[in-house]
Amino acid sequence: MAQDSDSNEVAKKLSTLNVNAMEFVPGKFSPAPAAVQTAAAATAAPSGTTTPTSTAATPTPPSSSAPTPMERDADPVQMPENNESEPLDSWDAEEDSILTPEDEEMELDDVEADGETAPKVSKKKPPKVEESRSKKEHVNVVFIGHVDAGKSTIGGQIMSLTGMVDKRTLEKYEREAREKSRESWYLSWALDTNQEERDKGKTVEVGRAYFETEKKHFTILDAPGHKSFVPNMIGGAAQADLAVLVISARKGEFETGFDRGGQTREHAMLAKTAGVKHLVVLVNKMDDPTVNWDLERYNECKDKILPYLKKLGFNPLKDLTFMPVSGITGQGLREPIDASTCPWYQGPAFIPFIDELPSLNRKTDGPFIMPIVDKYKDMGTVLMGKVESGVAKKGTNLLVMPNRTQVCVDQLWSDDEEVTSVGPGENVKIKVKGIEEEDVSPGFVLCDASNPIKTGKIFDAQVVILEHKSIICAGYSAVMHIHCAAEEITVKALICLVDKKTGEKSKTRPRFVKQDQVAIMRIECSGLICLEQFKLFPQMGRFTLRDENKTIAIGKVLKVVE
């Protein structure tokens, strides 16, 4: 009897095994009992797999089975298309529905083992996102200016107007700000996310956010205005394509920011040094009771700052635009200002204006270069920065310079959306395998393994002394900011002086240089850094020298010596 029950159990086990085998390997166990076959058919049907019983239906499944997951994907996605109140979603949806049926993937799906829908979905998702990312041009906008000019508030207002921050979140910020008697700061909290920044009303780190228009994808870099955090601001400006200088029209505030010791001058100059081509000057707080949209006050601010911006090298006809706005009410940001409020300004609003600016030429065909702004640990090492040239894809092997560590790209995000490839101009996060987070420092560069970036300790550079009370001679040391790196340097030797007007070089070696002079000098860094000749790759060849919390000089790399 015991033997009988044992053999029954074995038979039971075998039959269940058979059913499972039928489910996963159709056609392999065809001579199974009819009951088992019907059971298999019942279990397999919901997952859209083919079964050996339905002989009549066999020719159709390969073609019909492949689109099922796609149709499933497409249905819910297309719903928001009719809903015009959500332009962002509908834009995404359009892309998705156009992109899904790719021939290669159709073939792949046919070969795929039945029932394995999960890998298919994951396979399809990244290409969709990648395509939808590359449809729009990426532009990085840095907001600069003196502390309290309203940079974070304007950034928060733009995010609110473009629907990147929902109404409920803003209401929550407003409630919290009111509790702290800081009602007018609530918009800035969209970008000033940590407690210290909110309590003091001062931006410390470069805040990041993004918004989209019909043509472009903008990344907002909200730079700190306080002079203690200028090094952070330089890091933000190094990633920017377009700078927005925010000045306050409120009586007394503009003067404080623009006079010596204020940050308006230094920020404008650092933006120019960082290679920003176009500068938009937003004259903010025009709704203030001391201003009340007064044309005279607007012109006064404009006339005071214009000569300084010209001196920096901005062309008023091509590179400069002035606009009156109010960050707290949002006037002049998305919609043109109402004629009853401000009859004298008929120009465009800020967002439509930057949307219409000409496209930037990007180096897509060059080797991949991305200076690392920041890094953190998240089940691997994640590196952040702006891609300056070239393209990186998932699985690409790259080098981290200057310590020449080979890494492999594991995951990519462009402005918090996962993608499969990134290109120039995008602000990205790249998860890499092959290096520990503590072995990377801001200022290192992620680059092409076959064509790595130059590294050096000693180089020749042309330097313009902007503001320095005493003379500079060999042996002088300062802090150099080049792309995202900050490094201590020493002037090894002065080679010659350069005449500002004619560009002629002096025949004799100068013993010293002073304010407003241009010199070619040999500079030595305390450590190995990544840099490139200015004429070959401007983004990696321009730098700023700072000493005692002041920017004293700007320069460009002429030649890497060793």
Side-chain angles (χ1 to χ4, degrees):
M1 282 297 287
Q3 276 181 337
D4 279 359
S5 65
D6 275 353
S7 60
N8 278 346
E9 271 178 41
V10 171
K12 265 186 204 166
K13 278 182 187 170
L14 271 172
S15 68
T16 54
L17 235 166
N18 241 1
V19 170
N20 292 344
M22 280 294 308
E23 229 179 287
F24 291 109
V25 195
K28 191 82 173 243
F29 298 87
S30 39
V36 173
Q37 289 196 352
T38 47
T43 46
S47 63
T49 53
T50 55
T51 55
T53 44
S54 54
T55 41
T58 24
T60 44
S63 56
S64 66
S65 73
T68 6
M70 291 185 221
E71 285 158 16
R72 273 209 308 277
D73 274 353
D75 270 341
V77 173
Q78 279 170 339
M79 286 194 323
E81 242 174 279
N82 313 327
N83 181 356
E84 287 170 11
S85 69
E86 294 179 292
L88 194 98
D89 286 4
S90 65
W91 176 75
D92 271 344
E94 250 175 274
E95 300 307 328
D96 286 9
S97 52
I98 294 166
L99 285 166
T100 6
E102 285 185 355
D103 301 339
E104 280 180 280
E105 277 168 11
M106 293 281 278
E107 285 164 32
L108 259 171
D109 293 351
D110 296 349
V111 180
E112 205 84 89
D114 291 332
E116 289 181 324
T117 45
K120 288 188 198 170
V121 174
S122 67
K123 246 183 199 160
K124 288 199 186 90
K125 280 274 159 70
K128 285 191 219 170
V129 184
E130 172 199 351
E131 278 297 319
S132 63
R133 307 304 304 147
S134 58
K135 284 275 184 283
K136 293 188 179 185
E137 185 190 1
H138 280 243
V139 180
N140 300 281
V141 185
V142 68
F143 282 83
I144 56 174
H146 190 64
V147 67
D148 279 345
K151 300 180 292 296
S152 301
T153 299
I154 287 176
Q157 184 68 264
I158 288 171
M159 289 173 70
S160 160
L161 292 171
T162 52
M164 298 308 290
V165 178
D166 57 44
K167 210 170 174 191
R168 195 176 295 163
T169 310
L170 280 175
E171 280 166 4
K172 181 177 130 241
Y173 290 161
E174 199 167 1
R175 257 198 324 276
E176 289 171 8
R178 198 175 295 122
E179 282 163 19
K180 294 186 175 182
S181 310
R182 298 274 188 260
E183 293 95 298
S184 62
W185 290 0
Y186 78 98
L187 282 162
S188 69
W189 287 12
L191 286 153
D192 290 345
T193 46
N194 73 35
Q195 211 46 53
E196 182 197 356
E197 292 182 325
R198 289 180 174 187
D199 290 346
K200 292 183 178 172
K202 282 192 184 87
T203 305
V204 176
E205 293 166 340
V206 176
R208 285 161 185 276
Y210 61 91
F211 69 95
E212 291 191 335
T213 58
E214 283 176 21
K215 294 180 185 172
K216 294 177 184 171
H217 175 104
F218 291 95
T219 301
I220 297 176
L221 300 160
D222 175 33
H226 198 277
K227 69 163 169 246
S228 312
F229 308 119
V230 169
N232 294 1
M233 177 264 157
I234 295 172
Q239 301 167 64
D241 305 305
L242 170 72
V244 178
L245 178 63
V246 182
I247 56 177
S248 166
R250 187 182 281 163
K251 284 272 190 286
E253 272 190 17
F254 168 72
E255 287 73 10
T256 313
F258 186 64
D259 292 344
R260 292 198 179 275
Q263 280 346 93
T264 307
R265 290 167 182 265
E266 186 174 17
H267 277 204
M269 187 257 308
L270 288 168
K272 183 67 182 168
T273 316
V276 169
K277 299 280 187 298
H278 201 104
L279 184 73
V280 179
V281 183
L282 294 184
V283 185
N284 190 24
K285 306 193 186 181
M286 288 296 291
D287 60 321
D288 191 79
T290 63
V291 185
N292 212 357
W293 298 95
D294 179 31
L295 175 61
E296 273 181 39
R297 178 61 175 163
Y298 173 77
N299 283 339
E300 185 188 344
C301 297
K302 185 176 169 179
D303 295 343
K304 273 187 183 170
I305 201 167
L306 195 59
Y308 180 72
L309 296 177
K310 275 187 195 166
K311 188 181 155 190
L312 289 179
F314 286 107
N315 178 340
L317 300 172
K318 289 191 301 194
D319 315 333
L320 277 175
T321 311
F322 285 81
M323 291 180 181
V325 295
S326 161
I328 199 84
T329 62
Q331 286 164 290
L333 290 177
R334 193 176 184 186
E335 301 298 329
I337 305 163
D338 198 75
S340 59
T341 310
C342 179
W344 48 266
Y345 181 76
Q346 267 91 42
F350 172 66
I351 296 173
F353 173 77
I354 58 172
D355 200 23
E356 291 299 329
L357 282 173
S359 290
L360 303 138
N361 56 347
R362 308 275 196 197
K363 282 191 168 183
T364 39
D365 51 350
F368 181 78
I369 293 173
M370 185 194 92
I372 298 164
V373 180
D374 209 350
K375 43 75 193 263
Y376 62 90
K377 213 179 195 136
D378 181 15
M379 295 171 69
T381 305
V382 182
L383 309 175
M384 295 164 70
K386 175 191 164 195
V387 180
E388 291 291 2
S389 116
V391 175
K393 293 190 166 78
K394 221 168 166 173
T396 315
N397 285 326
L398 298 169
L399 270 186
V400 174
M401 296 293 277
N403 49 3
R404 306 192 83 86
T405 312
Q406 189 148 12
V407 294
C408 176
V409 176
D410 193 20
Q411 265 177 301
L412 298 152
W413 294 269
S414 176
D415 272 331
D416 299 333
E417 268 184 60
E418 197 171 332
V419 292
T420 54
S421 91
V422 291
E426 292 185 51
N427 248 302
V428 299
K429 292 179 191 157
I430 301 182
K431 189 195 275 189
V432 293
K433 288 188 285 199
I435 194 166
E436 286 305 312
E437 179 250 356
E438 51 268 22
D439 298 332
V440 184
S441 299
F444 282 16
V445 176
L446 190 61
C447 59
D448 199 311
S450 58
N451 192 351
I453 191 150
K454 271 204 183 76
T455 56
K457 244 183 136 170
I458 300 172
F459 62 92
D460 290 348
Q462 183 168 319
V463 181
V464 185
I465 314 299
L466 300 165
E467 195 180 341
H468 194 57
K469 288 189 179 74
S470 60
I471 57 171
I472 290 173
C473 45
Y476 172 79
S477 59
V479 174
M480 174 176 77
H481 292 267
I482 181 164
H483 54 88
C484 307
E487 193 71 42
E488 212 165 288
I489 60 103
T490 308
V491 176
K492 271 191 86 173
L494 301 174
I495 297 165
C496 65
L497 288 174
V498 180
D499 189 299
K500 268 187 171 178
K501 292 194 174 90
T502 60
E504 277 180 29
K505 294 170 186 168
S506 65
K507 299 280 187 288
T508 55
R509 283 195 170 205
R511 295 200 354 256
F512 60 84
V513 285
K514 55 184 196 287
Q515 193 166 316
D516 288 334
Q517 284 187 315
V518 182
I520 292 177
M521 50 179 80
R522 184 155 289 184
I523 291 173
E524 183 172 12
C525 304
S526 58
L528 201 62
I529 58 159
C530 300
L531 72 172
E532 199 61 79
Q533 277 184 42
F534 179 81
K535 65 172 187 223
L536 296 179
F537 202 75
Q539 292 92 320
M540 305 296 290
R542 52 167 81 91
F543 61 86
T544 318
L545 295 182
R546 299 192 87 237
D547 191 14
E548 295 171 359
N549 268 345
K550 279 213 284 290
T551 300
I552 56 150
I554 55 174
K556 55 186 184 184
V557 177
L558 300 177
K559 175 171 111 197
V560 181
V561 181
E562 60 180 72

